[in-house]
Amino acid sequence: MDQLDERDKQAFLELQEKLVDQTKKKKQVAAQLRSCDTEQKRAVLTAEELNNLPDDAKTYEQIGRAYFLMPKLQLLQDRKDTAVSRQADIKALKETQTSVSKAIEAVENEFKELLQHSPALQHAVSRSA
């Protein structure tokens, strides 16, 4: 890579760093999406099970390692609120995931363009791969 233009080297390294950052963001968003989806499903299933209980049934909410007596209607409303909140989070995360995917695609296109304009860089990359 000694014969390469210093600007091409620097541009290549910057693009490589951008690609790594965007890939990390994509993985992080995917993990958050899975977590929100799981929490939303759990809230919906819990609400369905609470609906099957009689209104005078004693219900408890876990807070840390302790369980506290809570009215069924309050627990039910909390679970419904959680489900709605997570659904909104899922929608926002999907939009973020789409924008990150577009950013990755843009960086990949910049890589292709850089390699097309610098045959020496293209040759050096193909040798090291």
Side-chain angles (χ1 to χ4, degrees):
M1 280 183 132
D2 294 338
Q3 300 172 353
L4 296 177
D5 183 17
E6 210 40 54
R7 288 179 302 183
D8 288 342
K9 282 184 189 179
Q10 190 62 32
F12 181 80
L13 293 174
E14 287 174 9
L15 286 176
Q16 196 173 30
E17 187 176 321
K18 279 184 188 179
L19 186 60
V20 168
D21 288 343
Q22 292 300 324
T23 303
K24 284 181 184 177
K25 283 182 187 179
K26 185 176 181 178
K27 288 179 181 179
Q28 183 180 27
V29 168
Q32 289 174 333
L33 192 56
R34 283 190 305 273
S35 175
C36 281
D37 188 49
T38 300
E39 195 172 336
Q40 190 255 350
K41 287 178 181 178
R42 183 177 294 133
V44 168
L45 289 172
T46 304
E48 288 174 5
E49 291 299 319
L50 285 171
N51 276 330
N52 295 334
L53 295 175
D55 288 337
D56 61 345
K58 289 187 178 185
T59 54
Y60 296 86
E61 181 170 20
Q62 181 180 2
I63 300 176
R65 293 185 186 187
Y67 291 88
F68 294 95
L69 184 63
M70 292 281 216
K72 174 190 165 188
L73 294 177
Q74 183 179 351
L75 277 175
L76 189 58
Q77 188 60 45
D78 288 349
R79 297 307 157 257
K80 288 180 180 179
D81 291 346
T82 298
V84 169
S85 172
R86 292 302 161 252
Q87 190 62 37
D89 292 346
I90 288 170
K91 182 179 179 185
L93 286 168
K94 284 184 178 181
E95 291 173 2
T96 302
Q97 191 175 38
T98 301
S99 67
V100 170
S101 292
K102 287 180 182 178
I104 288 173
E105 189 176 314
V107 171
E108 288 172 348
N109 288 336
E110 288 180 46
F111 258 122
K112 289 176 187 175
E113 193 173 305
L114 178 64
L115 292 175
Q116 285 176 350
H117 292 304
S118 177
L121 181 62
Q122 185 177 13
H123 180 69
V125 170
S126 65
R127 277 192 316 186
S128 66

